[in-house]
């Protein structure tokens, strides 16, 4: 008998709709994956948090800062589909582990990279940009791999809520960087922020390898229900991804483009929020502005999940529920962006930023989980493509924001552009969005 699998002849209580993960395994993987998402975002948000300090020390312009911040998303777009494909084929946990080792090491070594780049002067920014592209490429596989892993190991009625809750790890990671990173920055300097958070990422990768993945050796599989095994078998082992069929459907493109529009708003604020408060309200406490807005994301994600569950229980159509939840996101964000572009009051700006970040929790329970509706058999690959397109506004929007600020110093222009793009995505999803499976 293979040491990595133990077969149990369990009959009667097991049904075809039961997930492969047992209740204990679901708990283990949930804690592991949400912690991993936390560490992913913690490492991702170190540069946005530290860019004012690093730019001052290295004498970067706003355009230089925008180039460094946006370059992460250049790499992020490269590996989404590839990450989803390899996860569907070989297992998302293996892809997540390999990438986590890479992005954790880069974060830990970033101070050395920045100092080394400073000695080559005219090539400093291109060198840092190249490293940031590599970092983005490694982080780009995380979400496609995670959605592939959960789709293969959970039954359909659990997937959306499980994955939606995992996305709350992004807020926890940003909070971790905002609180601990601000403390380390104030008392020890910016290099310590990279070092400590990088070490935490490495520690999580070790936990993933030697705890969560080690538990697969004791996997119990019900061989009395072969249809269940086939249903949860890696999709790439049974059929190729029918891209042409997906590309021919407007509901697919509505999902992809709406995600891109909302991600533009999210990534621009994720990258430039510390700089906005640093420039506009220099006397504000760093830990306050880097913590409070992100406190809204976990409860908003949970509330959106609860609201989705209740509406579905009342027999609302899934398509209607997805559109309603996504509309809550865009409505809240656009009102807050409108107010933010016209206020000079610190508390008003902080409340508006908190509403915008909280709105992302609704997006995580609507368009973000829509690939599982449209492509239940190829969710990793389809989510990868969606996130690839979603990352394009990341580097274009973040760079453009830096360029606008360099030329005009106009934050209202940045916020108005984000609101306009949100409006486009809102219209597209309301007209063409759907939760009907394509394949």
């Amino acid at each position: 008998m293979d040491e990595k699998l133990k077969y149990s002849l369990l009959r009667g209580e097991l049904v075809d709709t039961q997930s492969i993960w047992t209740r204990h395994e679901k708990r283990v993987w949930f804690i592991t994956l949400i912690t991993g998402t936390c560490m992913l975002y913690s490492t991702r948000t170190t540069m946005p948090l530290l860019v004012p300090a690093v730019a001052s020390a290295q004498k970067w312009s706003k355009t230089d800062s925008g180039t460094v911040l946006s370059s992460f998303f250049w790499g992020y777009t490269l590996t989404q589909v590839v990450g989803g494909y390899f996860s569907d084929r070989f297992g998302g946990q293996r892809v997540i582990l390999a990438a986590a080792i890479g992005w954790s090491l880069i974060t830990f070594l970033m101070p050395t990279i920045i100092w080394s780049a400073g000695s080559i002067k005219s090539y400093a920014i291109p060198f840092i940009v190249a490293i940031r592209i590599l970092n983005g490429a490694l982080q780009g596989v995380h979400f496609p791999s995670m959605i592939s892993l959960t789709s293969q190991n959970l039954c359909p009625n659990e997937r959306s809520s499980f994955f939606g809750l995992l996305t709350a790890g992004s807020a926890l990671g940003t909070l971790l960087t905002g609180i601990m990173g601000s403390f380390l920055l104030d008392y020890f300097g910016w290099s310590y922020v990279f070092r400590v958070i990088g070490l935490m990422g490495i520690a999580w990768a070790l936990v993933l390898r030697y705890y969560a993945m080690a538990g697969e050796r004791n996997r119990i599989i019900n061989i009395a229900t072969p249809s269940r095994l086939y249903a949860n078998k890696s999709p790439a082992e049974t059929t190729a991804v029918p891209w042409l069929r997906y590309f021919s459907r407007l509901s697919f493109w509505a999902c992809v483009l709406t995600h891109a529009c909302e991600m533009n708003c999210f990534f621009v604020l994720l990258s430039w929020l510390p700089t906005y408060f640093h420039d506009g309200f220099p006397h504000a406490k760093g830990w306050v502005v880097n913590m409070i807005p992100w406190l809204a994301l976990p409860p908003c994600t949970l509330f959106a999940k609860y609201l989705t569950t209740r509406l579905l229980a009342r027999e609302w159509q899934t398509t209607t529920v997805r559109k309603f939840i996504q509309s809550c996101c865009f409505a809240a964000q656009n009102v807050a962006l409108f107010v933010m572009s016209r206020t000079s009051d610190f508390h008003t700006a902080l409340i508006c930023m908190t509403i915008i970040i909280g709105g992302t929790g609704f997006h995580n329970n609507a368009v973000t989980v829509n690939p599982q509706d449209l492509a239940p058999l190829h969710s990793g690959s389809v989510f990868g493509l969606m996130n690839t397109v979603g990352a394009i506004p990341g580097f274009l929007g973040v760079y453009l924001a830096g360029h606008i600020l360099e030329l005009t110093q106009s934050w209202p222009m940045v916020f108005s552009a984000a609101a306009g793009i949100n409006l486009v995505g809102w219209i597209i999803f309301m007209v063409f969005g759907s939760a009907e499976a394509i394949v």
Side-chain angles (χ1 to χ4, degrees):
M1 182 182 294
D2 191 335
E3 294 181 358
K4 295 185 178 180
L5 288 177
K6 293 182 180 180
Y7 294 93
S8 178
L9 297 174
L10 301 176
R11 302 178 186 272
E13 294 183 1
L14 290 173
V15 294
D16 289 352
T17 58
Q18 183 176 342
S19 64
I20 284 184
W21 279 340
T22 64
R23 182 177 299 179
H24 173 71
E25 286 174 324
K26 279 188 281 189
R27 284 197 299 266
V28 169
W29 277 106
F30 179 81
I31 294 171
T32 302
L33 292 175
I34 197 170
T35 304
T37 305
C38 171
M39 293 315 308
L40 180 90
Y41 261 80
S42 185
T43 59
R44 183 184 299 187
T45 52
T46 49
M47 185 61 81
L49 172 71
L50 301 175
V51 75
V54 176
S56 176
Q58 301 296 315
K59 296 180 172 55
W60 293 350
S61 67
K62 279 289 193 299
T63 300
D64 291 336
S65 298
T67 302
V68 171
L69 290 173
S70 65
S71 60
F72 172 90
F73 300 102
W74 303 354
Y76 196 67
T77 62
L78 298 177
T79 53
Q80 297 284 331
V81 177
V82 174
Y85 172 77
F86 281 110
S87 298
D88 286 344
R89 187 169 181 82
F90 301 113
Q93 66 275 31
R94 296 178 178 86
V95 179
I96 291 173
L97 174 64
I101 294 171
W103 50 256
S104 297
L105 286 174
I106 288 176
T107 303
F108 178 79
L109 295 173
M110 187 57 71
T112 304
I113 293 168
I114 293 174
W115 291 329
S116 300
S119 64
I120 56 179
K121 296 182 180 179
S122 60
Y123 295 99
I125 295 299
F127 179 67
I128 295 172
V129 163
I131 299 298
R132 290 274 293 166
I133 290 173
L134 176 60
N135 191 22
L138 291 168
Q139 292 206 10
V141 305
H142 183 84
F143 281 101
S145 299
M146 195 163 64
I147 200 170
S148 174
L149 179 63
T150 55
S151 292
Q152 292 175 25
N153 291 280
L154 294 170
C155 57
N157 62 354
E158 294 178 302
R159 293 171 187 167
S160 295
S161 59
F162 194 91
F163 184 77
L165 289 175
L166 290 177
T167 60
S170 61
L172 300 177
T174 308
L175 282 171
L176 177 64
T177 301
I179 299 171
M180 186 179 69
S182 296
F183 174 80
L184 292 172
L185 176 62
D186 290 342
Y187 290 95
F188 299 98
W190 59 266
S191 64
Y192 282 84
V193 182
F194 284 117
R195 301 291 195 200
V196 172
I197 292 177
L199 279 175
M200 292 175 67
I202 294 170
W204 174 77
L206 293 176
V207 171
L208 171 65
R209 171 61 182 87
Y210 292 106
Y211 182 65
M213 291 177 65
E216 293 182 337
R217 299 188 179 200
N218 298 318
R219 171 68 58 83
I220 296 176
I221 299 177
N222 173 27
I223 62 174
T225 55
S227 62
R228 176 170 161 263
L229 291 177
Y230 182 82
N232 288 278
K233 192 175 180 181
S234 174
E237 295 178 12
T238 60
T239 180
V241 181
W243 287 116
L244 291 179
R245 190 167 178 182
Y246 287 122
F247 291 164
S248 66
R249 299 294 291 272
L250 290 174
S251 58
F252 170 83
W253 289 111
C255 173
V256 169
L257 295 176
T258 304
H259 184 67
C261 291
E262 203 281 336
M263 284 295 97
N264 172 77
C265 176
F266 181 76
F267 286 143
V268 167
L269 297 183
L270 176 72
S271 299
W272 285 106
L273 183 148
T275 303
Y276 166 72
F277 282 109
H278 179 271
D279 291 351
F281 311 98
H283 301 297
K285 298 284 186 181
W287 66 269
V288 172
V289 300
N290 293 313
M291 178 187 74
I292 290 181
W294 297 97
L295 285 174
L297 187 51
C300 285
T301 301
L302 290 172
F303 178 71
K305 174 187 175 295
Y306 167 79
L307 189 57
T308 297
T309 303
R310 289 299 300 268
L311 293 177
L312 291 174
R314 293 185 178 185
E315 299 184 349
W316 282 39
Q317 292 186 350
T318 306
T319 297
T320 304
V321 173
R322 298 283 187 250
K323 290 182 177 181
F324 175 75
I325 298 297
Q326 188 62 41
S327 294
C328 292
C329 166
F330 281 140
Q333 287 185 338
N334 276 15
V335 169
L337 284 166
F338 177 81
V339 174
M340 243 181 111
S341 65
R342 287 160 175 78
T343 187
S344 57
D345 178 69
F346 169 73
H347 295 95
T348 302
L350 190 63
I351 292 171
C352 288
M353 193 68 77
T354 302
I355 292 172
I356 294 168
I357 300 300
T360 304
F362 285 80
H363 177 77
N364 291 340
N365 283 274
V367 169
T368 299
V369 299
N370 198 217
Q372 296 189 17
D373 302 323
L374 302 176
L377 297 178
H378 313 99
S379 55
S381 299
V382 171
F383 183 89
L385 179 61
M386 181 185 78
N387 232 22
T388 297
V389 178
I392 293 175
F395 65 79
L396 289 179
V398 172
Y399 173 80
L400 182 61
H403 192 60
I404 290 172
L405 294 172
E406 182 75 18
L407 294 177
T408 68
Q409 303 296 318
S410 175
W411 286 103
M413 187 176 295
V414 173
F415 298 142
S416 297
I421 293 171
N422 267 2
L423 182 60
V424 172
W426 192 357
I427 294 171
I428 290 174
F429 195 67
M430 290 302 293
V431 175
F432 302 109
S434 174
E436 297 295 326
I438 297 174
V439 176

